[in-house]
Every structure is written in C-alpha cells, then in structure tokens.
Amino acid sequence: MCELLGMSANVPTDICFSFSGLIKRGGETGIHKDGWGIAFYEGKGFRAFHDPVASANSEVAKFIQQYSIKSTQVICHIRKANRGRVCLENTHPFSRELWGQIWSFAHNGQLKGIKKKVLNGYTPIGTTDSEYAFCWILGQLRKKYPVKPKSKVKLRKTVEELFRKVSQHGVFNVLMSDVDHLYTFCNTKLYWLTRQTPFVEAQLLDADLCVDFNQEASPDDVVTVIATEPLTSNEQWTKMETNEFSVFRLGVKTFTQVS
Amino acid sequence: MCELLGMSANVPTDICFSFSGLIKRGGETGIHKDGWGIAFYEGKGFRAFHDPVASANSEVAKFIQQYSIKSTQVICHIRKANRGRVCLENTHPFSRELWGQIWSFAHNGQLKGIKKKVLNGYTPIGTTDSEYAFCWILGQLRKKYPVKPKSKVKLRKTVEELFRKVSQHGVFNVLMSDVDHLYTFCNTKLYWLTRQTPFVEAQLLDADLCVDFNQEASPDDVVTVIATEPLTSNEQWTKMETNEFSVFRLGVKTFTQVS
C-alpha cells in the first residue's frame, strides 16, 4: 500500500513540515520505498516533482523539503509498488490536461479488472491500475462535458459517481485535484485536519521536528491537510468514513457524502 | 526572444555541462530572465522542472545543475517574455500526452494570428502563442491519427507539414519531443553539434567551466546538443538552414529537409 498526502489552503502555503514527516515513511519509518511524487498548484500553473527512488534517500525530496514552494493545493504520494514495476512513469501523482486545467491524481489501493474499462481520449503512459483509473475518469468527464460545465454541483456529482464506480473494483483511497478543488475518496483509510486560528505547536510523528504555527501562519490562514495516517502526535486528526467522498476548497471542506 | 537547448543521446546522459552554460543567459550573461524549464525523458517516463524566475537566480536551476539526471532526450528553455505574462503556466517546455506518450515542446519566436486556428482536444493552460501552437499541432496529429501510426515516415511527414504551417505565422524555432524523437525546426536561428569519439575538452562560453569528454564519455556514446546559440567556444557548431526541419534520434540526425 502507498501513502497519500494532500493539502488545500486559502493562501499559498508551503507543505515542508508535513512533507518532512511523510518522506521518512518512504524507506525509513515506513516501507514505501518505490518512488514518490508531489504536485503543486500555483495559480493556474502546475508543477510536479517525481523520483522513482525511496523518498527517504531522494535528492529531489531533500530539495523539496528545503525549498519552500507556496501553493494552495498539493498532492503527494509515496509508493509501495504492487501493480506495475518501479519506474518514473509508474510514479504518482499522474497528471493530464482537461478543459485547459491540469488535473492530478494519486491513489492508494488495488483495482481489479479496471483495465477492462474503455478509455476515451486519455491513455496511460505506465502500467499501474491507478493511472488507468485516472485516465478512465478524465475520459468519462470529457465525454459527458466536452466543455467545462458551468455548474460546479453537476461536476462534483459526476466526479462522485465516477469515484464510486471505480471503488467497486477494489481499494480506492484517492486524492484528485483540478485548479480549484481537491476531491477525495476514502475507501479504507484517510485522515484530515484543519489548521486555523488558534494555532498550536505541532509535533511530527516520524521526525524530531515541531512547528509553532502561531509563528508561521497568519490569523486568517485556513489549511487542511489530508493523509493516509496522521502525521503529527498532538493534533486531532479526523478519520474519514468508509466510502466518504469529500471536496475541499481553499482549506475548507465544502462537501461530504457517505454512502 | 528566448533560448532553446535540446539533447538527443544514444545512452542516458546528463546535460549538466550545457545547462550550466545556458542558465547563465537567464539574467546573467543574457536577458532571458522570465522563467525557465527543462524536460527529461527517462525510458517511457518523463519529468519536467519549471521555475517562473530567472534561471541565473533559480534554486531549482541550481539543483538541476548539481543533480545529474541521465536522460536520452532533453528539452530546455529560458524565457524572455513577449506574449503572455511571467507565470508558471506560461513557462516552457509545455507537455501533453498523446497515444500514451508524453510530448513536450519549447519555442523561440512570435506567432501572429495562431490563436485563430481551431483546436482539437488540447487546450492551453496559459496565454502564450507557443502553447497554443503546440496544442494545435497535437490536436491535428490526433485528428489525423486517432491511434499512433505504425509508419514513422508518415508521422514524421505530418509533423513537418504542421511545423511548416505554424511557421507561416511568424518566427518558429522549435524543439518538440516524443519518447523516441526530437523534432526540430529552424526558422531563424538554431545550432547543433554531435559529440562522439574522438572526444575533446569543451569550454563553455558563458561560464568558466570546461569538461574533458574523454574522461566523461564512453567510446560508443553519441550525444547531439542543439541550441539557439553555440554554448562552447572551442567546438564546431553547425548552423541550421532557414526553414530546416530535422529529426534526431539516439544522438543522430536521422532526417533533414530544407524548403
């Protein structure tokens, strides 16, 4: 199984603290040593960093840890390969353009029979079931909406429907992002936490590192962090329900549905 | 105007030496201070690094300079903005997936009226004429070949046709890559150089740095570097002809046509 980390914030925020905890699990405090990746949204722009080596030993990860990239949405993934060999093209998050926006996707779980689904316009580069599912989801979105739907509710409902269809194929814990929204689905395990005033000092579980967000954040900042397992020892993480679909925007959970 | 750098090699090769020269032109020895980007092909995998700041001052550029990523194909671009503001989404190289491969594209020049062309399935994220042209080219390829054509010659001819059509809109010096080929078009300025045995010591023009490729390379290595301006002072760079379309594969120029 892999580990996921996501962030949604109302102001461009760096993820160095949470990332510092997560990468330790990529070969040091955890077994997820088969590559890692991180994707940042900066305005309409998008950049991603991938490395097919253990994050705990990755030079790219060390760089990302030190270099503060401020972003309103982040998706990160450390991989324990089960389907698809260890290589760059099988390293999450995957990304594709739809309606002039970059969509990105990271997944934890295995999906049986997903590759029998017919694709529409998006083709996987690697061999993972995860990338295949992502390509199928985007293809279905494009088929239903050749141009971006004006109604955010319609779009959200379609994404939820597609996530629920994919989740019938196995374990599907997922983070998917367009420029504005972080769509999440919890099939077995996903936790979340919102940091806002009054801020506290947070202590990482996987590294001897704490940050006093009173010093780091401004009073109006709202930052939600989503992860496979809690990353800090002294904050109250909420476990998502089984089959919970939730949407985050600007740090706030804007929709949730369990079924 | 911007500066381009490309590499095609028969073995995974790092581009640190050439890159060290080029990035100086991004705000130090040159005026191309409006961002930069670099894309690497590693097997079927692809990763790109972008930074919307001057490459001469970029922390990401310093990292890439020190961290040897070995690749058979590289496209790099340093930007002097003329169309489209300075931001991440306007930073070359642009990339999209077609037929399960990542295609990437970097352009030097301005294209008048390009945005009147009708797109097909690929939509720009930013506002540059370059990204628009790239989206149009890929959309035309997909329209003509819904699946990847088996004939490389057919594909090459279509790419050439599309390049020549775009070049009618203005200045079009370009590097475009799929997993296997580096397609180039020289409208006004592009130089190239092949390094192979017997290797020499090369001296950068923009930095006090030389490399003895006798020490660095193996006898069978064939590496072609393509750039807007020669990067070294003591090697024989070949200037491409006006309206020359050339294709490189595994370090070798496999096709060239001037018209």
Side-chain angles (χ1 to χ4, degrees):
Chain A
M1 300 291 278
C2 311
E3 290 216 25
L4 299 168
L5 168 64
M7 188 192 79
S8 166
N10 68 341
V11 287
T13 302
D14 81 52
I15 199 168
C16 295
F17 176 68
S18 300
F19 183 70
S20 297
L22 188 79
I23 61 168
K24 294 274 178 190
R25 298 182 185 173
E28 204 173 298
T29 60
I31 55 165
H32 317 88
K33 56 173 183 39
D34 301 326
W36 68 278
I38 190 165
F40 297 91
Y41 286 84
E42 296 164 68
K44 282 192 74 184
F46 173 89
R47 52 180 157 174
F49 298 82
H50 292 94
D51 212 358
V53 303
S55 56
N57 310 323
S58 162
E59 291 296 322
V60 187
K62 272 180 211 147
F63 173 73
I64 293 296
Q65 206 180 340
Q66 288 156 13
Y67 181 60
S68 156
I69 294 182
K70 290 190 187 290
S71 170
T72 48
Q73 286 192 141
V74 176
I75 286 184
C76 179
H77 183 272
I78 56 175
R79 184 165 182 239
K80 171 79 184 72
N82 40 52
R83 301 268 171 96
R85 69 186 180 92
V86 178
C87 58
L88 189 56
E89 63 267 32
N90 285 342
T91 307
H92 309 224
F94 305 107
S95 62
R96 293 290 191 283
E97 173 255 309
L98 170 65
W99 309 320
Q101 296 180 352
I102 295 288
W103 292 65
S104 59
F105 181 94
H107 167 230
N108 157 333
Q110 289 187 43
L111 301 167
K112 210 173 168 181
I114 192 80
K115 292 187 181 175
K116 288 179 188 153
K117 285 190 177 290
V118 178
L119 298 172
N120 174 49
Y122 295 92
T123 309
I125 315 232
T127 55
T128 62
D129 47 6
S130 309
E131 189 191 10
Y132 198 99
F134 177 49
C135 287
W136 181 78
I137 289 166
L138 287 195
Q140 292 299 111
L141 281 176
R142 179 140 86 172
K143 199 170 171 181
K144 187 155 185 174
Y145 307 112
V147 295
K148 187 179 177 182
K150 283 186 183 158
S151 160
K152 285 184 179 177
V153 175
K154 269 191 185 175
L155 175 56
R156 189 203 70 214
K157 281 186 178 169
T158 310
V159 170
E160 182 180 353
E161 259 172 49
L162 295 169
F163 275 10
R164 295 200 184 277
K165 279 186 186 166
V166 173
S167 78
Q168 289 165 9
H169 288 262
V171 176
F172 188 61
N173 300 302
V174 81
L175 305 176
M176 183 169 89
S177 215
D178 60 10
V179 168
D180 298 315
H181 305 89
L182 181 55
Y183 302 96
T184 68
F185 192 82
C186 171
N187 202 214
T188 57
K189 208 194 283 182
L190 217 47
Y191 290 81
W192 66 284
L193 166 84
T194 299
R195 293 190 182 116
Q196 56 194 333
T197 188
F199 293 100
V200 298
E201 189 177 280
Q203 168 67 49
L204 282 184
L205 275 164
D206 299 81
D208 187 16
L209 189 65
C210 54
V211 162
D212 183 358
F213 285 105
N214 282 304
Q215 306 295 323
E216 298 289 322
S218 304
D220 296 334
D221 292 4
V222 181
V223 180
T224 291
V225 179
I226 302 142
T228 299
E229 297 272 7
L231 289 162
T232 53
S233 56
N234 63 330
E235 293 177 294
Q236 194 64 44
W237 291 76
T238 305
K239 192 176 192 307
M240 288 189 186
E241 305 282 324
T242 303
N243 296 328
E244 175 179 332
F245 170 77
S246 292
V247 184
F248 297 85
R249 184 167 185 270
L250 300 173
V252 176
K253 193 195 251 194
T254 56
F255 179 81
T256 193
Q257 174 89 39
V258 181
S259 84
Chain B
M1 299 292 276
C2 310
E3 290 216 23
L4 298 168
L5 167 64
M7 188 192 78
S8 166
N10 66 341
V11 287
T13 302
D14 82 52
I15 199 167
C16 295
F17 176 69
S18 299
F19 183 69
S20 297
L22 187 78
I23 61 167
K24 295 274 180 191
R25 297 182 186 173
E28 202 172 300
T29 60
I31 55 163
H32 317 87
K33 60 172 180 41
D34 301 325
W36 67 279
I38 190 164
F40 297 91
Y41 286 84
E42 296 164 69
K44 282 193 75 185
F46 173 88
R47 53 180 155 174
F49 299 81
H50 292 95
D51 212 359
V53 303
S55 56
N57 308 323
S58 162
E59 290 296 321
V60 187
K62 270 179 211 149
F63 173 74
I64 293 296
Q65 207 181 341
Q66 288 156 12
Y67 180 60
S68 157
I69 294 181
K70 289 188 187 292
S71 169
T72 48
Q73 286 192 143
V74 177
I75 286 184
C76 180
H77 183 272
I78 55 174
R79 182 163 183 240
K80 170 80 184 73
N82 40 52
R83 301 269 171 97
R85 67 188 181 90
V86 178
C87 58
L88 189 56
E89 63 267 31
N90 285 343
T91 306
H92 310 222
F94 305 106
S95 62
R96 293 289 190 284
E97 173 254 311
L98 171 65
W99 308 319
Q101 296 180 353
I102 295 289
W103 291 66
S104 59
F105 180 94
H107 166 230
N108 157 334
Q110 288 187 42
L111 301 166
K112 209 173 168 181
I114 191 79
K115 291 187 182 177
K116 288 180 188 153
K117 284 189 179 289
V118 178
L119 298 173
N120 174 50
Y122 295 91
T123 309
I125 304 190
T127 55
T128 62
D129 47 4
S130 308
E131 189 190 10
Y132 198 101
F134 177 48
C135 287
W136 181 78
I137 289 166
L138 287 195
Q140 292 301 111
L141 282 175
R142 178 139 88 172
K143 198 170 172 181
K144 188 156 186 174
Y145 307 111
V147 295
K148 189 179 175 181
K150 284 184 181 160
S151 159
K152 286 184 179 178
V153 175
K154 268 191 184 176
L155 175 56
R156 189 201 72 214
K157 280 187 179 169
T158 309
V159 171
E160 182 181 351
E161 259 173 49
L162 294 169
F163 276 9
R164 294 200 185 277
K165 278 185 188 168
V166 174
S167 79
Q168 289 165 8
H169 288 262
V171 175
F172 189 61
N173 301 301
V174 82
L175 305 176
M176 184 170 88
S177 213
D178 60 11
V179 167
D180 299 315
H181 304 90
L182 181 56
Y183 301 97
T184 67
F185 192 81
C186 172
N187 203 215
T188 57
K189 207 195 283 184
L190 217 47
Y191 289 81
W192 66 285
L193 164 84
T194 300
R195 294 191 180 116
Q196 55 193 335
T197 189
F199 293 100
V200 297
E201 188 176 282
Q203 168 67 50
L204 281 185
L205 275 164
D206 298 81
D208 187 14
L209 188 66
C210 54
V211 162
D212 183 357
F213 285 104
N214 283 303
Q215 305 296 324
E216 300 289 322
S218 303
D220 296 335
D221 292 4
V222 181
V223 180
T224 291
V225 179
I226 302 142
T228 299
E229 296 273 5
L231 288 162
T232 54
S233 56
N234 63 331
E235 293 176 295
Q236 194 65 45
W237 291 76
T238 305
K239 192 176 192 309
M240 288 190 185
E241 305 282 322
T242 303
N243 296 328
E244 175 180 331
F245 170 77
S246 291
V247 184
F248 297 85
R249 185 168 184 271
L250 299 173
V252 176
K253 192 195 251 195
T254 56
F255 180 80
T256 193
Q257 175 87 40
V258 181
S259 85

